């Protein structure tokens, strides 16, 4: 191990430590005071409910832990989007779980809460996984109602999805473990089965105060929509449970009797750990995003037995493609190469840039994986496509379009990991969020933007200087330096993985050593959904 390796290792381990520190903060939800109020009512906290529900001997994969991070500050914040989501195992069956966190504004729905719930439903639909809702919510957060209520991808889409999922045979079980008010009342009742906790659970279209205001009736919330009312009088709910634990036990019991599903048939053999030490990834990944490194060294520490069947190794070398296994599952790897490469023709190719031959190779490989029914894993560290007259005359746009076409039309499940740069059209070609990866996660070292910070800052500075000069303002070198720093700092803050995770551009941020777990759980989930559509790229220029 050399000095460079040790330096990289220290920096990447510190990034992972910072990640765990930040996760602890968001896991605290609305804080100790709000948590104590929940406990006083005899209720478990959202994360306690999830922990109690899932199998202890199986992994848990959280979705959107950083949703809302740093957002809605003027409203007191919304840690984790006010809802805990993820993929876990209940009585041995893989499920999506959604649990409102009532310590965050009484579980009220912010815009990011709706987006996160829709993402959870999307994962359930794509993979045909049962979904379990642990409901405890005061409904829409009224100060932001215009950003959550009326549009296609807003609150109402969740209930539309309930109906579509039920008609598709996707199991939905809801537990009303606290408030369930107004439009939010439809979510549990549009599920296939609904249970309610006596004394703490309630569901109604309008609470007692609104009923008094609207029609003058005096009625308490328990009589209006408590467990006895809905289990013995209205028949709205199916099971009445005495407390949170009994409610969660009931869900586990129901899930233990669910029959198996038809599988997609992705290939899996006995898992083997990588031959090369996974922990060495910390030392291989450079301490900044500009330095070159050999992506094969990362790949070899992710694949079972470090076995990699590389495709077209000597051609299109700025993208690495090949077959391997992760936790026994067969996968096709598409990864950006960050080394500076000299081709057989003597031409230099810069690391992280997609060239015409690389795009052509990746397109062919993606098509092969679709033909062989092998899931795809994209490892992003890309600065974009090569520019300049030589590249344009060589048809870089056409070759890039072929790659985007193949990624867009893939029918096998895709999984994306942003481990370094993710800039411009490179993000698209390497299966960014817009291209429907089943799961997309970032390492703490990720950077996501339309272009690099230095380039963008200089461009933005030129625009701002022109505007100021047009107003007759003088700009000296000191003022220019101040402006450049302000623009660079602002732009760089928007390229961090935390900024992306807060807005659900990625499903989360993970330690590099969790990558194999995400791939394995993701393919297991995808295996519940047989591929019913033939791969076809449509019209594409050759």
């Amino acid at each position: 191990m050399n000095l460079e390796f040790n330096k990289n290792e220290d920096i990447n381990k510190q990034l992972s430590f910072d990640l765990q520190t930040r996760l602890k903060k968001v896991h605290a939800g609305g804080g100790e005071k709000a948590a104590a109020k929940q406990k006083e009512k005899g209720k478990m906290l959202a994360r306690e409910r999830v922990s109690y529900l899932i199998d202890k001997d199986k992994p848990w994969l959280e979705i959107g832990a950083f949703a809302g991070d740093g957002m809605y500050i003027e409203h007191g914040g919304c840690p984790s989007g006010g809802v805990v989501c993820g993929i876990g195992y209940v009585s041995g069956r893989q499920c999506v779980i959604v649990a409102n966190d009532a310590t965050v504004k009484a579980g009220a729905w912010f815009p990011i809460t709706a987006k996160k719930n829709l993402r959870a439903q999307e994962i359930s639909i794509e993979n045909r996984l049962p979904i379990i809702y642990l409901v405890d919510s005061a409904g829409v957060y009224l100060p932001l109602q215009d950003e959550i209520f009326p549009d296609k991808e807003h609150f109402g889409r969740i209930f539309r999805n309930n109906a579509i999922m039920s008609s598709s045979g996707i199991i939905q079980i809801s537990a009303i473990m606290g408030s369930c008010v107004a439009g939010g009342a439809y979510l549990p009742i549009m599920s296939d089965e609904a249970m309610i906790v006596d004394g703490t659970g309630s569901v109604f279209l309008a609470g007692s105060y609104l009923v008094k205001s609207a029609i003058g009736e005096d009625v308490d919330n328990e009589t209006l929509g408590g467990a006895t009312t809905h289990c013995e009088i209205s028949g709205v709910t199916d099971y009445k449970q005495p407390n949170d634990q009994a409610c969660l036990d009931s869900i586990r019991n129901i899930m233990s009797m669910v029959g198996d599903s038809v599988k997609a048939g992705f290939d899996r053999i006995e898992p083997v750990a990588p031959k090369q030490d996974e922990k060495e990834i910390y030392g291989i990944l450079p301490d900044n995003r500009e330095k070159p490194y050999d992506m094969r060294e990362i790949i070899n520490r992710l694949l079972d037995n470090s076995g990699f069947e590389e495709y077209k190794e000597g051609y299109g070398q700025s993208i690495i493609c090949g077959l391997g296994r992760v936790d026994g599952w067969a996968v096709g790897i598409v990864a950006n190469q960050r080394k500076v490469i000299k081709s057989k023709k003597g031409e230099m190719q810069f690391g992280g840039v997609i060239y015409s031959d690389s795009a052509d190779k990746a397109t062919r490989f993606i098509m092969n994986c679709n033909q062989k029914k092998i899931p795809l894993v994209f490892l992003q560290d890309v600065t974009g496509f090569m520019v300049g007259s030589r590249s344009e005359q060589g048809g870089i746009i056409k070759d890039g379009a072929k790659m985007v076409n193949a990624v867009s039309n893939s029918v096998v499940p895709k999984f994306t990991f942003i481990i370094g740069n993710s800039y411009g059209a490179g993000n698209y070609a390497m299966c960014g969020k817009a291209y429907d990866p089943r799961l997309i996660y970032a390492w703490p070292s990720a950077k996501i933007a339309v272009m690099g910070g230095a380039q963008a800052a200089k461009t933005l500075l030129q625009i701002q200087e022109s505007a100021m000069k047009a107003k007759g303002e003088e700009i000296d070198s000191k003022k220019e330096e101040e402006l450049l720093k302000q623009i660079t700092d602002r732009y760089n803050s928007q390229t961090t993985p935390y900024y992306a995770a807060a807005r659900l551009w990625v499903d989360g941020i993970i330690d590099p050593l969790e990558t194999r777990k995400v791939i394995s759980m993701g393919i297991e989930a995808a295996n519940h959904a047989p591929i019913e559509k033939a791969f076809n790229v449509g019209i594409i220029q050759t």
Side-chain angles (χ1 to χ4, degrees), residues 15 58 213 218 247 304 347 350 381 385 421 450 462 508 515 530:
L15 288 174
K58 296 285 183 69
S213 173
D218 280 310
C247 186
D304 288 15
E347 297 168 344
F350 298 99
D381 193 348
F385 284 86
N421 298 321
V450 72
Q462 289 171 6
T515 305

Side-chain angles (χ1 to χ4, degrees), residues 129-337:
L129 290 181
I131 186 166
I132 298 167
Y133 306 99
L134 308 180
V135 185
D136 193 346
S137 171
V140 168
Y141 183 63
L142 288 177
L144 296 173
Q145 65 86 25
D146 61 319
E147 298 179 38
I148 186 176
F149 172 67
D151 209 348
K152 181 178 178 180
E153 298 301 330
H154 283 178
F155 194 52
R157 188 75 172 182
I158 292 161
F159 317 132
R160 176 264 188 193
N161 285 351
N162 288 142
I164 297 297
M165 292 162 77
S166 184
S167 71
S168 301
I170 297 170
I171 297 166
Q172 298 176 87
I173 299 174
S174 283
I176 301 165
M177 309 182 82
S179 297
C180 188
V181 184
Y186 287 105
L187 185 147
I189 308 312
M190 291 190 73
S191 298
D192 303 315
E193 293 179 290
M195 53 190 67
I196 186 168
V197 177
D198 194 16
T200 54
S202 59
V203 55
F204 34 65
L205 294 181
S208 56
Y209 292 120
L210 185 54
V211 168
K212 174 70 174 175
S213 173
I215 64 172
E217 181 184 1
D218 280 310
V219 61
D220 63 86
N221 282 340
E222 187 64 25
T223 303
L224 190 64
T228 299
T229 294
H230 286 311
C231 284
E232 300 177 21
I233 301 173
S234 73
V236 166
T237 51
D238 305 308
Y239 307 88
K240 181 166 76 169
Q241 304 296 350
N243 53 50
D244 282 8
Q245 288 88 345
C247 186
L248 297 167
D249 286 338
S250 180
I251 295 172
R252 289 186 57 81
N253 190 42
I254 291 169
M255 287 305 303
S256 73
M257 303 183 205
V258 172
D260 202 0
S261 61
V262 178
K263 298 294 190 290
F266 301 124
D267 187 67
R268 192 182 197 186
I269 63 173
E270 191 68 27
V272 180
K275 188 183 294 183
Q276 298 187 37
D277 189 355
E278 286 180 80
K279 293 178 182 176
E280 290 177 355
I281 289 172
Y282 295 127
I284 293 164
L285 195 67
D287 65 327
N288 71 55
R289 299 279 37 87
E290 310 306 318
K291 290 184 179 179
Y293 63 95
D294 190 349
M295 179 64 84
R296 288 184 187 85
E297 296 297 327
I298 302 287
I299 294 170
N300 287 337
R301 286 159 179 81
L302 296 177
L303 297 180
D304 288 15
N305 203 36
S306 301
F308 187 49
E309 189 73 30
E310 189 163 352
Y311 175 79
K312 291 183 181 287
E313 182 179 352
Y315 175 71
Q317 295 180 67
S318 73
I319 289 183
I320 298 170
C321 300
L323 302 174
R325 291 186 182 274
V326 173
D327 200 33
W329 294 104
V331 296
I333 302 287
V334 181
N336 302 111
Q337 173 60 291

Side-chain angles (χ1 to χ4, degrees), residues 438-510:
R438 294 291 176 97
L439 295 169
I440 177 169
Y441 279 84
W443 289 5
S445 47
K447 293 281 185 184
I448 306 165
V450 72
M451 64 176 72
Q455 296 168 285
K458 287 175 183 175
T459 303
L460 290 167
L461 178 63
Q462 289 171 6
I463 294 168
Q464 193 161 333
E465 283 181 336
S466 296
M468 292 172 73
K469 286 175 181 175
K471 294 177 183 177
E473 295 181 38
E474 292 293 326
I475 303 167
D476 57 22
S477 58
K478 186 179 179 183
K479 179 69 174 175
E480 187 178 88
E481 192 176 313
E482 288 174 1
L483 281 172
L484 183 60
K485 186 180 185 308
Q486 288 174 10
I487 293 167
T488 302
D489 289 348
R490 184 174 70 247
Y491 190 87
N492 285 340
S493 71
Q494 295 172 353
T495 67
T496 71
Y498 294 98
Y499 190 91
R503 290 151 183 81
L504 289 174
W505 300 344
V506 295
D507 291 318
I509 305 168
I510 56 169

Side-chain angles (χ1 to χ4, degrees), residues 28-41 45 102-104:
E32 291 181 9
K33 193 174 179 181
K37 286 184 179 179
Q38 292 292 100
K39 295 289 189 180
E40 286 169 11
K41 297 175 184 176
L45 303 180
T103 70
V104 181

